[in-house]
Amino acid sequence: MAIDGTTEDLPDTPANVAVFGRHSGRTPAAFPQVQCVYLAECGTHAIVDAGFWPIHTSERVGGRRMLRSVEAGMLVMWDCGFHEYDMLNIVHQDKNAHVLSRLPAHVKPQRLRRLPDGSYLAYLYPSDYQRRKKGERLQVRIIEYRLSDPALGCTDQVHRLITTLLDPQGCPTIELVCAYHERWEIEILIDEIDTHQRLAGRTLRSLKPVGIIQELYGLLIAHYVIRSLMHQAARQAD
């Protein structure tokens, strides 16, 4: 499973601006926008949960909301922008599922010991001092790697993954690295909706916030139906 977000342009009406807002810099953005966050299956591209917020809402708010649909046994992936101790803890402790995500450069877990496959165990702590003082922590596994193909990016850059899958024999490092790159399937999924299904370059149609939410759910229902039929066809054809 993967969690990620995107934004959608809305018609420039007072009602849409009042509810969803618009980016403001030197000059205000041309259109108000809505923040969308999805939880999806990487293999089938089926979106199983979604939420919509005003544009200035952090994606992490949406990411936490998506955890309501996480089930036991799932492997949930997200990029470093979603990194948060509480999200990791909820998935692993409360949902009995696992996380595989990218670790931001500024996060420094406490190293415990190196494992035979080159990864290492570490403790991750909440940002709140009082919680750390009480001893709250989460044991995780850190995987560091470089890309050897120059065509894929800078070969000197060290990538760090964090996971709650601690067993190096049951979950080898190379398999987890390859699995994390499957997270990009949700980026392709977003492109399916924005570019191909909705026609990029156009705003959504509704002039009112309630209509915007209805329209977004309509688009996601149509996308789910298409992906479901594709999945059924693939199973029949083995």
Side-chain angles (χ1 to χ4, degrees), residues 147-157 159:
L147 298 173
S148 58
D149 186 350
L152 298 178
C154 179
T155 55
D156 294 332
Q157 181 180 358
H159 301 269

Side-chain angles (χ1 to χ4, degrees), residues 11-224:
D12 190 5
T13 65
N16 285 341
V17 172
V19 171
F20 296 108
R22 72 167 92 224
H23 283 295
S24 58
R26 291 184 177 179
T27 58
F31 300 103
Q33 292 181 309
V34 58
Q35 176 73 63
C36 312
V37 179
Y38 304 138
L39 172 69
E41 291 181 343
C42 293
T44 64
H45 290 198
I47 297 174
V48 300
D49 201 352
F52 312 109
W53 290 269
I55 188 58
H56 295 294
T57 305
S58 169
E59 280 188 328
R60 291 183 187 178
V61 173
R64 286 193 295 269
R65 177 72 65 84
M66 293 303 98
L67 300 185
R68 65 187 178 182
S69 296
V70 170
E71 298 178 358
M74 285 182 173
L75 176 62
V76 187
M77 300 183 286
W78 56 69
D79 201 5
C80 58
F82 285 91
H83 175 77
E84 188 178 72
Y85 173 89
D86 287 334
M87 284 186 63
L88 282 154
N89 197 50
I90 289 171
V91 171
H92 186 53
Q93 302 291 349
D94 298 348
K95 298 291 186 175
N96 196 26
H98 287 284
V99 175
L100 176 62
S101 66
R102 198 165 151 220
L103 194 62
H106 69 274
V107 178
K108 309 295 183 184
Q110 179 188 348
R111 290 185 180 229
L112 295 177
R113 62 183 176 91
R114 184 165 292 277
L115 298 173
D117 65 349
S119 62
Y120 59 90
L121 298 179
Y123 281 133
L124 192 68
Y125 296 89
S127 58
D128 182 70
Y129 173 74
Q130 294 300 327
R131 293 170 63 184
R132 294 199 306 271
K133 189 176 179 181
K134 293 178 181 177
E136 186 174 346
R137 64 188 183 184
L138 179 66
Q139 190 176 55
V140 295
R141 179 175 163 208
I142 308 297
I143 299 169
E144 297 180 345
Y145 67 99
R146 291 182 174 89
L147 298 173
S148 58
D149 186 350
L152 298 178
C154 179
T155 55
D156 294 332
Q157 181 180 358
V158 177
H159 301 269
R160 295 192 306 166
L161 300 182
I162 182 171
T163 183
T164 54
L165 294 165
L166 306 182
D167 181 11
Q169 291 185 333
C171 301
T173 293
I174 187 64
E175 290 189 11
L176 291 178
V177 170
C178 292
Y180 180 73
H181 284 258
E182 293 298 317
R183 187 201 68 83
W184 282 96
E185 291 294 325
I186 196 170
E187 306 281 359
I188 299 172
L189 178 161
I190 291 171
D191 180 70
E192 290 168 356
I193 296 172
D194 287 354
T195 305
H196 303 284
Q197 184 178 344
R198 191 175 66 78
L199 300 179
R202 301 183 183 181
T203 67
L204 296 176
R205 296 180 299 173
S206 181
L207 305 182
K208 297 181 180 180
V210 171
I212 291 296
I213 300 301
Q214 291 175 340
E215 188 175 352
L216 287 166
Y217 275 119
L219 287 165
L220 297 190
I221 290 171
H223 182 269
Y224 189 92

